[in-house]
Amino acid sequence: MRTPLLTFLAAVVLVLPASGVLPAFWATLLNMIGISAIVALGLVVLTGVGGMTSFGQAAFVGVAAYCSALLTTRYGFSPWLALPVVLVVTSIAATLIGLVTVRLSGHYLPLGTICWGMAVYYLFGNLDLLGGFNGISGIPPVSLFGHPLLDSRQFWPLVLVMLGVSLYLTRNLLDSRAGRAIRALRSGTTAAEAFGIAPARAKLAVFIYAGFLAGLAGWLFAHLQRSVTPTAFSLNAGIEFLLMAVIGGSGRLWGAVLGAAIVVLLKNALQDYLPLLFGSIGSLEVIFFGVVLVLTLQKAREGLWPVLAEHIPQRRSPVDEIATALAMPVRPKGEGPFLLEAIGINKRFGGLVAVNDVSFSLAKGEILTLLGPNGAGKSTTFNLLTGVLSLSSGEVRIAGHSVAGASPSQIAGLGVARTFQHVKLVPEMSVLENVALGTHLRGDSGFLRCLLRLDRPQEAQLLAEAARAIRRVGLADRIHSPADSLSLGETRIVEIARAICLAPRVLLLDEPAAGLRKAEKNRLAELLRELRAEGLGILLVEHDMDFVMSLTDRIVVLDFGTRIAAGLPDEIRKNPRVQEAYLGSVA
Amino acid sequence: MTVLLSVEDAAVSYGAVEAVRGVALQVASGSVATIIGANGAGKTSLLSALGGLLPMRGRVIYDGHDITRLGTADRVAAGLALVTESRDLFGTMTVEDNLRLGAYTRTRAEAAQGIEEVFGRFPKLKERRTQLAGTLSGGERQMLATGRALMSRPSVLMLDEPSLGLAPLIVRDIFHIITELRNDGIGVLLVEQNARAALQTADHAYVMELGRFVMQGAAAEMMHDQRLVETYLGISGAGN
Amino acid sequence: MDSTIALFLVQDGLINGAIYALLAVCFVLLFAVTRIIFIPQGDFVAFAGLTLAALEMGVAPGSALLLVCLGVACALFDLAGLRNWPPAGWLLRRLGAYLALPLVLWLGVRDLAPMDLPVWADICLTLVIVVPMGPFTYRLAFEPMRNASILALLITSVGVHLVMMGLGLLFFGAEGYRSTPIWGGTILLGPMMIQGQSALLMVCTLVILGLLWCFFTRTLAGKALQAAAVSARGAELVGISVETAGRRAFVLAGLIAAIAGILIAPITTLYYDSGFLIGLKGFVAAIVAGFASFPGAVFSAIVLGIIEAFAAFWASAFKEVIVFGLVLPILLWRSLTNPHDEEH
């Protein structure tokens, strides 16, 4: 029943305005909604999914509009010929702004875009080439099959098709390997980096994509209005686009359309009625918009779309678990007997020595436990081994290769997977999507391939791999649950499934049994034995003695960042130094 | 000895995950109560909620008043102080400024008297009074955090893992001071992974597992509880 | 260019730079204590200037009525947030601050404005009208967003700017005003002739920066604010609530912005929306200083003022393009020298 209804609706919106039944005024509003929705769509991905934002999208729209205006009026380009040039120019502008800010902490990007928006606005207004504050007029219309689209009613199908294409591309993106990587960044970069995602690159890609969409909208705008002036691309216009994304629901595709519709219609209504109330003293609708923006962020930070979407049933495509298995990753061949070696590693924070000259090694098919009281330097050691922290001195070798200065992504690429003491999952993503992050390095579908949906065979393999890992750890019945609905114990198990998806040689587990019930612990122990039998090296930090003693092959004991003992479980148990350090008798 | 802090049916959740549920406890003046349990059992969540840092359900009665809805700052003003696991010192400010700010809710005269008392208890802090808090060693940080909490003249002091990352000698000092505070009439609620040290110092103990209290009783008796010894007093229990 | 012009431009730059410095300090202060990047900062500058100009003309300023509106909204927010009946003292204090103070001001100013008050009285009235707008705005827009991300707070702050700009238009009208100089004389300093008002502005800026420094290093209240900036949790643990610290920071920011407005009102013609551009320049200086260092913010603000003055001389049409465009290379430099600014 859904599809016929949608088809009917689509026919109505497509045909009605174009057929001439609808007044031209309404067609103009629809065009504005459609064009704004394309810009807002970029912001939805940027803000709601990528956790960044931009106040300068209007400036990108302006760059595109001016570029097309200039090319068509001055250099005789046809609008269609100008389109690719326009898109390339806007993307380049976005790349430059993005490159400058994506490596800085979150809020510098929006701050940079405020300044960029101001600068571009004044540039438009003061360049003689662009006609100053009068802008450029006489822009030729777009022709479709030889027919110029002169009237707003004729233009509407073009806007609708472009909006449709933008929605399609964006949906493809979010539902893919590249999209998962972007979504993972919103809740911090540490976990994402540990599975090979390069945060700066993913953020830059999203920013360029948002700029690309703004460029498309700018081209439509220029040829719809057939004239451009700087005012349309001021900072205020940029804020209005952001308002659309926030009201509609940042992070939701259809939120962009909803938000654009609300803002455009509201603005129109307010401009009609406010002067009746206050006299025509200027644009007072900003008061209303400002209040709406603040209230949305205070009361419904997810925007309005989720409120509506509650009533629309979610479709969930089943995971095809019989997809052909992923190829095992190709990694540098191991040299020497050990998978992982720490050779005299040191870490100082200012004057504090957190890890002091610690050495140990982990062989294939072995479980090694790091033991020691809280604060003994175990988690710091983990972070040194995985490249999250840099060594003050010493050396870490993975499969015999020194990894001095390597990033967490590079170390993940060598086959080292980890879990975190404080679980780091993406709360709003499902178990399946979270675990699929672990497969990131085993796929290679890039941004473009994902946009154009050419990634499907590989995506099926990645999801199948994730589903298999979830079944293996015994969480098959929670596969579609959002991560924030799980118990602490279950989240730890999900992290292990995610780590397994990397097809690791070395598994680093930081307190995997904390918060687990007895039965869950037994199952986890069973799983770790299986993995050991498959030849993995497992490095464990754990406090639960029962759990450790029955499982581990060897133990290294740390205290105050220093290795105070190493040996078989029974030796450690009887070591007086360990007893003193670990039990810290008061007497 | 009167009951100063009483908690009924406390629950703390992160999203859909319940970290603490159905917990009840009491702390009396001049006594030490301790909560022991494995990492991830919910001890820190409980203590943070009692300090007003996390939202919780249930009831917290302090000195006869329901303070469940009060924020952290108001709880401190009322006399319920918390020293967190992360210490939360003002790293770019001097030791003395940290202490003076500790008496933010008290009068100038009380602050002056308090600072002398703290310097009396922790002579090391007096030596370091002009040093920046961020440059202190782990033990000194713990002393400063405790001293700062004492500056607000609390009648109940909650300590989260005071022995964390400290050398045995310093741990001994810290527990010695906890005993002193108890003798001065302060009620102490102690969360500690060093279960043996905690039980030796405490009067009453609660054992926490997966967000719930599974056992409670006199600390002295718990020291001899075979199951507890095996689970929480770690490797020696199984070995010896 | 000869040295007279250069000296003149430097002087011009210093005047602008001084105002930007005051605003940049506000940006840094508010960000440190509340994590809010308070874009509407500049709107308060314009409001103060326009209030002073209205009082001088013997007209009751629209801002007094605006304050009443904000106060009523705050009172409604407080009442709506109540779950049970509050203590009478608390209620009286809140309603007094949110309702009584603005009402008394509004009624009073309608009678006082037509009387030919001395300048200092106008200035005092301007301050008591504009300064409460800071904490009132904090109460309305930001207090309900305690655990929000920096990003959400930033977007909110932009929303507040929209509201402020619209309200400015509604309450002050679209016309521009310039108030009479507080000190009309001139000073001869070698070849330079300095307007009295400009000299006053620079002296006042220096005094305010000095007082701020004393406040933060010498007083318990100042240290408490600093503590809240260093560690919000630590501040809560010693009894300084995040709300209190936030409110105080906003009082301080409102005060500094109001003084800035009073100082520049005689130098430039102010419109309801000119504050925004002035504010953004302070904001650029704060960005350059990484929202972290007070001296850094002051220094960048002054350099920015001078760059702006010279840009206005050489390429007056592109003055704003140069000032705002400058941010991008500076951010690039920051990202190359300080790439591990990650993880919130």
Side-chain angles (χ1 to χ4, degrees), chain A residues 16-152:
Chain A
L16 206 62
S19 66
V21 178
L22 205 72
F25 168 71
W26 281 98
T28 308
L29 279 185
L30 276 177
N31 280 326
M32 285 320 295
I33 293 173
I35 293 176
S36 306
I38 296 176
V39 185
L41 202 55
L43 281 173
V44 155
V45 181
L46 194 62
T47 310
V49 183
M52 297 170 276
T53 207
S54 162
F55 297 98
Q57 288 315 93
F60 288 116
V61 177
V63 166
Y66 267 100
C67 182
S68 199
L70 209 60
L71 288 174
T72 51
T73 57
R74 200 176 255 254
Y75 299 105
F77 277 60
S78 88
W80 285 112
L81 196 61
L83 179 61
V85 183
V86 163
L87 293 178
V88 168
V89 168
T90 345
S91 303
I92 289 174
T95 311
L96 292 178
I97 308 291
L99 273 179
V100 166
T101 49
V102 283
R103 271 152 47 101
L104 292 172
S105 64
H107 52 282
Y108 279 99
L109 181 67
L111 298 187
T113 60
I114 291 182
C115 296
W116 144 257
M118 293 298 285
V120 167
Y121 169 73
Y122 283 107
L123 195 65
F124 288 157
N126 289 298
L127 272 184
D128 293 332
L129 176 70
L130 304 179
F133 281 98
N134 295 321
I136 300 173
S137 51
I139 302 171
V142 182
S143 290
L144 212 56
F145 309 114
H147 298 285
L149 307 175
L150 290 166
D151 179 52
S152 59

Side-chain angles (χ1 to χ4, degrees), chain A residues 89-273:
Chain A
V89 168
T90 345
S91 303
I92 289 174
T95 311
L96 292 178
I97 308 291
L99 273 179
V100 166
T101 49
V102 283
R103 271 152 47 101
L104 292 172
S105 64
H107 52 282
Y108 279 99
L109 181 67
L111 298 187
T113 60
I114 291 182
C115 296
W116 144 257
M118 293 298 285
V120 167
Y121 169 73
Y122 283 107
L123 195 65
F124 288 157
N126 289 298
L127 272 184
D128 293 332
L129 176 70
L130 304 179
F133 281 98
N134 295 321
I136 300 173
S137 51
I139 302 171
V142 182
S143 290
L144 212 56
F145 309 114
H147 298 285
L149 307 175
L150 290 166
D151 179 52
S152 59
R153 281 174 289 198
Q154 297 165 338
F155 201 78
W156 167 244
L158 180 64
V159 171
L160 199 63
V161 167
M162 290 299 184
L163 176 61
V165 170
S166 311
L167 282 166
Y168 173 74
L169 292 180
T170 312
R171 191 208 61 172
N172 290 351
L173 175 65
L174 292 188
D175 176 32
S176 72
R177 173 177 176 270
R180 260 196 311 275
I182 296 161
R183 291 162 73 189
L185 294 179
R186 203 182 164 189
S187 32
T189 53
T190 313
E193 282 185 280
F195 291 94
I197 294 163
R201 258 182 66 186
K203 283 182 180 175
L204 184 61
V206 184
F207 191 70
I208 297 172
Y209 180 64
F212 171 87
L213 287 179
L216 180 62
W219 178 80
L220 285 169
F221 183 87
H223 296 283
L224 170 68
Q225 300 283 336
R226 311 252 296 285
S227 69
V228 289
T229 56
T231 334
F233 315 117
S234 66
L235 187 63
N236 269 4
I239 295 173
E240 240 164 61
F241 288 129
L242 184 62
L243 176 67
M244 294 172 191
V246 171
I247 291 184
S250 46
R252 316 286 178 138
L253 285 189
W254 288 98
V257 181
L258 179 71
I262 292 178
V263 172
V264 170
L265 295 177
L266 208 61
K267 186 172 181 177
N268 187 60
L270 287 171
Q271 281 174 345
D272 283 350
Y273 293 110

Side-chain angles (χ1 to χ4, degrees), chain A residues 335-380:
Chain A
E335 285 169 19
F338 295 115
L339 286 175
L340 177 75
E341 288 162 278
I343 304 160
I345 59 171
N346 271 289
K347 181 65 188 177
R348 286 181 294 274
F349 296 105
L352 236 62
V353 182
V355 175
N356 184 14
D357 208 15
V358 169
S359 301
F360 56 84
S361 48
L362 174 69
K364 210 166 178 272
E366 182 188 39
I367 297 180
L368 176 69
T369 301
L370 282 184
L371 203 63
N374 278 357
K378 304 184 301 288
S379 287
T380 310

Side-chain angles (χ1 to χ4, degrees), chain A residues 352 371 373-375 421 484-488 511 514-517 543 545-546 549 560 572-573 578-580 582-587, chain B residues 14-17 21 39-40 136-138 141 161 164-168 172 175 193-194 196-197 200 210 233-236 238-240:
Chain A
L352 236 62
L371 203 63
N374 278 357
Q421 188 190 353
D484 58 5
S485 69
L486 304 181
S487 73
L488 178 67
E511 299 206 20
L516 262 59
R517 282 157 221 287
H543 284 284
M545 286 308 143
D546 282 351
M549 290 299 171
F560 295 102
I572 296 296
R573 236 197 283 253
V578 175
Q579 290 190 4
E580 190 198 354
Y582 203 70
L583 301 173
S585 166
V586 188
Chain B
Y14 300 92
V17 182
R21 59 217 137 127
N39 273 9
L136 297 180
S137 73
R141 277 165 200 253
E161 304 264 3
L164 184 67
L166 303 186
R172 200 170 304 171
F175 279 94
Q193 61 139 4
N194 189 333
R196 176 164 301 189
Q200 282 173 355
L210 295 170
L233 301 189
I235 38 187
S236 74
N240 293 349

Side-chain angles (χ1 to χ4, degrees), chain A residues 514-586:
Chain A
L516 262 59
R517 282 157 221 287
K518 193 83 189 164
E520 291 172 328
K521 278 181 196 169
N522 290 341
R523 217 168 333 131
L524 175 62
E526 204 43 55
L527 174 68
L528 297 186
R529 284 195 190 96
E530 267 176 53
L531 291 170
R532 169 171 61 187
E534 290 167 19
L536 263 72
I538 300 175
L539 184 63
L540 205 62
V541 162
E542 186 51 65
H543 284 284
D544 188 322
M545 286 308 143
D546 282 351
F547 183 78
V548 168
M549 290 299 171
S550 64
L551 192 63
T552 191
D553 298 306
R554 288 186 300 130
I555 294 178
V556 170
V557 186
L558 296 184
D559 194 24
F560 295 102
T562 310
R563 175 176 143 162
I564 58 168
L568 301 173
D570 269 337
E571 298 166 6
I572 296 296
R573 236 197 283 253
K574 297 193 179 98
N575 185 322
R577 246 189 109 183
V578 175
Q579 290 190 4
E580 190 198 354
Y582 203 70
L583 301 173
S585 166
V586 188

Side-chain angles (χ1 to χ4, degrees), chain C residues 54-231:
Chain C
L55 285 170
E56 264 185 21
M57 288 186 299
V59 181
S63 45
L65 187 57
L66 172 56
L67 188 67
V68 174
C69 298
L70 290 177
V72 170
C74 285
L76 288 178
F77 262 54
D78 262 9
L79 292 177
L82 287 181
R83 288 209 206 96
N84 35 27
W85 193 247
W90 181 89
L91 198 65
L92 270 178
R93 266 204 319 277
R94 284 301 175 101
L95 294 186
Y98 290 146
L99 295 178
L101 170 80
L103 266 176
V104 167
L105 270 175
W106 180 51
L107 296 173
V109 90
R110 287 202 309 179
D111 293 331
L112 286 173
M115 296 191 256
D116 200 14
L117 292 176
V119 178
W120 62 264
D122 284 342
I123 291 178
C124 288
L125 272 177
T126 306
L127 288 179
V128 285
I129 292 172
V130 176
V131 174
M133 288 184 188
F136 283 17
T137 311
Y138 176 66
R139 170 70 192 87
L140 288 174
F142 300 105
E143 239 177 69
M145 304 186 66
R146 217 184 138 156
N147 297 316
S149 63
I150 293 180
L151 189 65
L153 289 172
L154 173 61
I155 301 176
T156 307
S157 143
V158 167
V160 174
H161 159 66
L162 286 185
V163 178
M164 286 296 160
M165 211 169 54
L167 290 176
L169 178 61
L170 192 61
F171 285 97
F172 292 107
E175 254 166 274
Y177 298 95
R178 184 191 280 241
S179 66
T180 47
I182 299 166
W183 181 31
T186 51
I187 304 172
L188 270 177
L189 202 78
M192 268 210 292
M193 196 177 71
I194 303 173
Q195 299 292 324
Q197 182 66 31
S198 312
L200 188 68
L201 185 151
M202 281 189 262
V203 171
C204 282
T205 304
L206 280 178
V207 170
I208 291 170
L209 292 177
L211 285 176
L212 273 180
W213 184 79
C214 286
F215 175 70
F216 280 116
T217 54
R218 297 265 186 276
T219 68
L220 189 67
K223 282 179 184 169
L225 266 189
Q226 207 186 328
V230 176
S231 160

Side-chain angles (χ1 to χ4, degrees), chain C residues 191-325:
Chain C
M192 268 210 292
M193 196 177 71
I194 303 173
Q195 299 292 324
Q197 182 66 31
S198 312
L200 188 68
L201 185 151
M202 281 189 262
V203 171
C204 282
T205 304
L206 280 178
V207 170
I208 291 170
L209 292 177
L211 285 176
L212 273 180
W213 184 79
C214 286
F215 175 70
F216 280 116
T217 54
R218 297 265 186 276
T219 68
L220 189 67
K223 282 179 184 169
L225 266 189
Q226 207 186 328
V230 176
S231 160
R233 227 160 83 124
E236 284 272 359
L237 289 172
V238 298
I240 305 161
S241 82
V242 172
E243 272 83 14
T244 312
R247 217 174 296 138
R248 287 188 187 165
F250 267 82
V251 170
L252 214 53
L255 179 67
I256 298 171
I259 294 176
I262 291 167
L263 288 173
I264 56 158
I267 296 178
T268 39
T269 307
L270 287 173
Y271 297 85
Y272 74 96
D273 62 349
S274 14
F276 181 53
L277 209 56
I278 302 172
L280 273 193
K281 308 261 174 73
F283 167 77
V284 168
I287 296 182
V288 175
F291 278 98
S293 137
F294 287 102
V298 171
F299 176 75
S300 351
I302 288 168
V303 172
L304 189 77
I306 293 174
I307 291 177
E308 189 188 11
F310 279 86
F313 180 77
W314 274 313
S316 77
F318 298 101
K319 182 182 84 170
E320 313 291 1
V321 181
I322 293 171
V323 169
F324 290 112

